Amino acid sequence: MTITGRTAGAEGWDFFVSYTGVDRAWAEWVAWQLEDAGYRVLIQAWDFVPGHNWRFRMDEGVQHAERTIAILSASYLKSMYGKQEWQAAHAADPTGFGRKLLPIRVEDCPRPGLLGAVVSIDLFDRPADDAHRHLLDQIRGSLTGRAKPATAPTFPVPARGTPPVDEPAFPPPPRPAPAPPRPAPALSTGSGPVGGPLTGHTGAVRSVAFTADGLILATGGDDRTVRLWDVTDPARPRRIGQPLADRGYGIWSVVFAAEGRILATGCADRTVRLWDVADPTRPQQIGQPLTGHTSSVASMALTADGRTLATGSWDRTVRLWDLTDPTRPQQIGRPLIGHTATIWTVAFTADGRTLATSATDRTVRLWDVADPAQVRRASQPLAGHASSVASMAFTANGHTLATGSDDRTVRLWNVADPRRPQQIGEPLTGHTAAVASVALSADGRALATGGVDKTVRLWDLTDPARPQQIGQPLTGHTNGVASMALTADGRILATGSHDKTVRLWRMA
């Protein structure tokens, strides 16, 4: 048979086949057809032999194969491992231009969420020979980026006597409607709670974090535990496994690596721990705790590639860590110094080139971390808040920074050029107590703020110079809002509170 093409490098594969055990026969059939056509395939059934570390072998497949094939079935869509594997492939190519994720449906199952936008190869209800040809034709089209037929189409002469087909135009013409004066904000006046509060913590919930796909939520608190929640259906969140317990100290910060397989926790015992949560029902600590800080680790941030971790501490320093090999994390360079008081928050821009840090010294500092081993101050400190700067968030493009303060205000900053930051407009007011947490939508058009006044407020930042509050404050917490996080698509907001609960809110 003619070799249809090879794209893998010397140390990689053309395809990694992701599947659940129920569909092993389908996965092996697909892998056989592809290898018979000359492609290199990594498949668990054949390549995870005794002696291999299956978790790292799986990671290797997702990271180094040119494309991930997801064998889609109802069982696969319920599989936690399958979900993590296809989401990692999607995260590496969110626009689909590289066609890194190839869903192959082996039964007529729905494609929920992000999968719904990816064109699938459907093999069900086809005889074996036809399925074989269809698979290779579709794979060839995916590799070349086009599915032009080998022979010219026949001239489309309609059969005589065929009645005209009365069909609506596609796509259907939109109904006429007056254009709104402003683009619709990501957060709307219809925002509200989803289900009841998440309970279980016995102390304040200091930090919350979503995986990139928004399907798992981590919560950490003063009760010395981290809890994982399946929020695939936000109206019916479920606890996953047992809480991750620390050595008797509160958890101040939690953050997921981009692919959701590693969770970092910052603790009042001055350490950071890394956890393997590839199987969230059985999290395992990775290596020894990261040490060096001389006081509580209050905040953490990871670069988008998951390789560089920033940790901010009450010891007034920030440390950078290389997590390229999470089993052997290494501190990068010397601690960043400059703040004169407790550091509360650290945040990276999406490109990982700029780091923002805030402290009780009322300032925000910007750092050029394009080379983490040679960090430089990007500008003079951002000053203007009258009290501690307790929280920060960047927009996805890194051009806007929002800062929340104990002075009850939120300020917006234009940091498109980190060397020349400028405050945008007037401070946002409305909270009647300290603003302890902020979260920005990816497009920067919407902002959520949480206060010690027990409320969450939503803001339309379509015009950052003239921000507008959206609707009435969201209420439900019975004590101050200590932490918040938005899913990447901006649809669900999680808030952690001193009332020991977490609440989910639908934003759109």
Side-chain angles (χ1 to χ4, degrees), residues 355-421:
L355 174 71
T357 61
S358 72
T360 57
D361 62 8
R362 309 178 184 180
T363 69
V364 174
R365 291 174 181 263
L366 300 178
W367 309 82
D368 180 345
V369 290
D371 179 357
Q374 301 289 332
V375 178
R376 298 176 300 161
R377 296 181 186 177
S379 67
Q380 292 299 310
L382 281 62
H385 281 295
S387 190
S388 301
V389 183
S391 55
M392 298 182 301
F394 280 107
T395 52
N397 63 11
H399 292 177
T400 304
L401 176 70
T403 57
S405 169
D406 286 1
D407 67 8
R408 307 181 183 182
T409 72
V410 175
R411 291 174 184 257
L412 302 176
W413 309 83
N414 182 341
V415 290
D417 181 352
R419 298 167 300 177
R420 299 177 180 84

Side-chain angles (χ1 to χ4, degrees), residues 43-44 120 122 130 145 196 203 260 290 326 333 344 385 389 395 401 424 456 479 492 497 499 502:
I43 178 172
Q44 181 177 355
S120 66
D122 293 348
D130 182 48
L290 282 62
W344 272 119
H385 281 295
V389 183
T395 52
L401 176 70
I424 304 171
V456 174
N479 208 328
I492 300 295
S497 170
D499 67 9
V502 176

Side-chain angles (χ1 to χ4, degrees), residues 300-500:
M300 298 184 298
L302 268 164
T303 52
D305 61 11
R307 294 187 176 184
T308 305
L309 175 72
T311 57
S313 169
W314 285 11
D315 65 10
R316 307 181 184 183
T317 72
V318 175
R319 293 172 185 257
L320 299 179
W321 309 84
D322 182 352
L323 302 189
T324 302
D325 180 354
T327 65
R328 297 182 180 86
Q330 300 291 327
Q331 187 171 326
I332 306 172
R334 304 176 71 85
L336 280 57
I337 58 174
H339 283 291
T340 58
T342 296
I343 292 175
W344 272 119
T345 316
V346 295
F348 281 109
T349 51
D351 62 10
R353 300 178 66 86
T354 302
L355 174 71
T357 61
S358 72
T360 57
D361 62 8
R362 309 178 184 180
T363 69
V364 174
R365 291 174 181 263
L366 300 178
W367 309 82
D368 180 345
V369 290
D371 179 357
Q374 301 289 332
V375 178
R376 298 176 300 161
R377 296 181 186 177
S379 67
Q380 292 299 310
L382 281 62
H385 281 295
S387 190
S388 301
V389 183
S391 55
M392 298 182 301
F394 280 107
T395 52
N397 63 11
H399 292 177
T400 304
L401 176 70
T403 57
S405 169
D406 286 1
D407 67 8
R408 307 181 183 182
T409 72
V410 175
R411 291 174 184 257
L412 302 176
W413 309 83
N414 182 341
V415 290
D417 181 352
R419 298 167 300 177
R420 299 177 180 84
Q422 298 290 329
Q423 186 172 323
I424 304 171
E426 295 298 317
L428 282 62
T429 60
H431 282 287
T432 59
V435 179
S437 53
V438 299
L440 269 165
S441 63
D443 61 10
R445 293 197 294 118
L447 171 71
T449 61
V452 177
D453 60 6
K454 312 175 190 178
T455 70
V456 174
R457 292 172 186 260
L458 310 179
W459 309 83
D460 178 0
L461 304 188
T462 303
D463 180 354
R466 293 196 297 265
Q468 300 291 324
Q469 188 168 328
I470 303 171
Q472 295 299 310
L474 303 179
T475 58
H477 283 298
T478 59
N479 208 328
V481 178
S483 54
M484 62 171 49
L486 267 169
T487 52
D489 61 10
R491 293 182 179 275
I492 300 295
L493 176 73
T495 56
S497 170
H498 289 276
D499 67 9
K500 308 176 187 178

Side-chain angles (χ1 to χ4, degrees), residues 233-282:
D233 180 355
R236 297 177 180 83
R238 297 184 301 107
R239 297 183 193 177
I240 303 175
Q242 296 299 310
L244 283 64
D246 216 309
R247 306 184 305 172
Y249 297 88
I251 305 295
W252 285 77
S253 184
V254 295
V255 62
F256 280 105
E259 79 288 352
R261 291 172 177 253
I262 294 176
L263 175 71
T265 60
C267 184
D269 72 352
R270 303 174 289 186
T271 69
V272 172
R273 287 175 169 77
L274 302 178
W275 304 84
D276 179 349
V277 290
D279 178 357
T281 64
R282 297 181 181 85

